[in-house]
Amino acid sequence: MLNLTPDEWTAVELSLRIAVVATVVSLPFGIAIAWLLARKDFWGKALLDGVVHLPLVLPPVVTGYLLLITFGRKGAVGGFLADFGIVFSFRWTGAAVACGVMAFPLLVRAIRLSFEAIDRRLEDAAATLGANGFWAFLTVTLPLALPGVIAGMVLAFAKALGEFGATITFVSNIPGETQTLPLAIYAFTQVPGGDAQALRLCILSIVLSLAALMASEVLVRRATVRAAGRDA
């Protein structure tokens, strides 16, 4: 047993909540962007692709700072939202935004590759049977792309679970509000005698990440079998 303290359990619960919210909220946008990049040719496609993947190459602290000046109380978007009582900076919802932004490229990439691997003739066959584009997408394209969707979701979840730089820059390290597992580990390494607590949380982080990857493998295999059955 790790014998975590109540504060440590709070960091674990907060990390899981933030990772789930970041992944679920990002999913419809990720599917839409992935489909657009996989199936459409348009002016600015390379630019859109670059913007989507920018968080992968930017220092996380830069992404966090851009979020702060955009969604902070004095930011262009954040100031407007604050008038309606919607505040992201220094809140757990802001941590979810930061995690979602950092994980978004991994989500889009996995789903896009899945879309590109689908035989377009299957969609054409659905169209000849009277299905409109949206219905063909829901009944043919999306089910066939399900393995990639699941893989993207797990990658995004794992990335959100371990996100540090953008989160601490945007929402700081507030126990019980924004202190996720990585931030709690960092905090424990900064105080004398905190090594044991940091090690416990490191072990827990490894276990959670490994469990997510193993679950992903099982789900992707099942989805692949189902997609192969549909294809047949």
Side-chain angles (χ1 to χ4, degrees), residues 151-194:
M153 289 180 66
V154 174
L155 286 174
F157 176 82
K159 175 63 176 176
L161 200 61
E163 168 52 32
F164 175 81
T167 303
I168 197 171
T169 305
F170 182 32
V171 297
S172 189
N173 187 4
I174 306 172
E177 181 65 34
T178 66
Q179 189 178 78
T180 57
L181 270 174
L183 273 61
I185 293 171
Y186 173 77
F188 286 133
T189 62
Q190 302 302 303
V191 298

Side-chain angles (χ1 to χ4, degrees), residues 5-217:
T5 66
D7 289 341
E8 291 168 347
W9 278 119
T10 298
V12 173
E13 185 273 333
L14 190 60
S15 294
L16 293 173
R17 187 204 316 169
I18 287 173
V20 169
V21 170
T23 303
V24 171
V25 173
S26 299
L27 183 59
F29 300 100
I31 291 175
I33 295 291
W35 180 85
L36 190 64
L37 292 174
R39 294 301 174 83
K40 298 296 181 179
D41 291 317
F42 53 90
W43 184 90
K45 179 178 179 178
L47 178 61
L48 176 61
D49 186 54
V51 170
V52 167
H53 290 86
L54 199 57
L56 287 180
V57 295
L58 278 178
V61 67
V62 174
T63 303
Y65 180 70
L66 293 175
L67 289 173
L68 182 61
I69 62 177
T70 303
F71 292 99
R73 287 181 178 270
K74 296 182 179 180
V77 178
F80 172 78
L81 294 177
D83 293 336
F84 297 93
I86 303 174
V87 178
F88 290 111
S89 57
F90 308 110
R91 302 282 180 86
W92 76 268
T93 50
V97 171
C99 291
V101 169
M102 293 300 295
F104 195 68
L106 299 176
L107 179 70
V108 171
R109 183 63 178 170
I111 299 175
R112 177 183 178 180
L113 291 175
S114 190
F115 281 147
E116 290 175 342
I118 295 174
D119 189 346
R120 298 289 294 272
R121 291 175 298 181
L122 296 173
E123 298 170 326
D124 294 338
T128 60
L129 294 175
N132 59 39
F134 182 70
W135 187 247
F137 173 80
L138 288 181
T139 58
V140 178
T141 308
L142 194 56
L144 291 175
L146 190 58
V149 173
I150 293 174
M153 289 180 66
V154 174
L155 286 174
F157 176 82
K159 175 63 176 176
L161 200 61
E163 168 52 32
F164 175 81
T167 303
I168 197 171
T169 305
F170 182 32
V171 297
S172 189
N173 187 4
I174 306 172
E177 181 65 34
T178 66
Q179 189 178 78
T180 57
L181 270 174
L183 273 61
I185 293 171
Y186 173 77
F188 286 133
T189 62
Q190 302 302 303
V191 298
D195 292 343
Q197 292 169 297
L199 180 59
R200 285 202 302 266
L201 294 184
C202 284
I203 294 173
L204 184 58
S205 296
I206 293 171
V207 171
L208 289 175
S209 299
L210 187 59
L213 293 175
M214 292 175 65
S216 168
E217 183 67 20

Side-chain angles (χ1 to χ4, degrees), residues 150 154 211-225:
I150 293 174
V154 174
L213 293 175
M214 292 175 65
S216 168
E217 183 67 20
V218 172
L219 292 173
V220 168
R221 286 184 180 180
R222 290 181 178 178
T224 301
V225 171

